[in-house]
Amino acid sequence: MRFILEKVDATNHETKLEGVVFTLTNNAGEYYTIPSDNASVDEDRFVSTEATVSTDASGKVVFAGLKEGTYTLTEISNPHAGYNLLT
């Protein structure tokens, strides 16, 4: 399973926000990490030490290889002035 997060301006969805930092944690408190290019889809992508992911130039980050379950997405920082972090 995978999902794509796209961070955009609330009033102008054409404005994509690059460099916004997130953590995704599973119920065990482990952090999602982006695997190496040669990782398999089924590879466990969660680690015990804090790991972050950032949106790319298109405002997106792809979370892939997720197993069925409950996850918590937290916005850690946003380098763009005037934007609030997600609550």
Side-chain angles (χ1 to χ4, degrees):
M1 179 174 79
R2 74 180 190 136
F3 78 90
I4 300 171
L5 170 77
E6 183 178 34
K7 183 73 173 177
V8 298
D9 181 89
T11 57
N12 180 358
H13 294 167
E14 296 303 314
T15 302
K16 313 300 184 187
L17 301 178
E18 179 179 7
V20 181
V21 179
F22 293 90
T23 60
L24 181 71
T25 55
N26 62 17
N27 281 345
E30 299 169 317
Y31 295 87
Y32 179 87
T33 185
I34 294 178
S36 63
D37 289 339
N38 60 357
S40 74
V41 172
D42 294 324
E43 181 177 322
D44 187 6
R45 296 177 182 199
F46 285 84
V47 294
S48 59
T49 56
E50 185 173 358
T52 60
V53 294
S54 300
T55 55
D56 61 16
S58 65
K60 294 180 182 178
V61 63
V62 177
F63 297 95
L66 300 175
K67 296 179 179 161
E68 187 175 322
T70 302
Y71 299 91
T72 302
L73 180 70
T74 306
E75 186 173 344
I76 301 298
S77 67
N78 187 330
H80 304 278
Y83 290 94
N84 296 322
L85 298 179
L86 295 174
T87 55

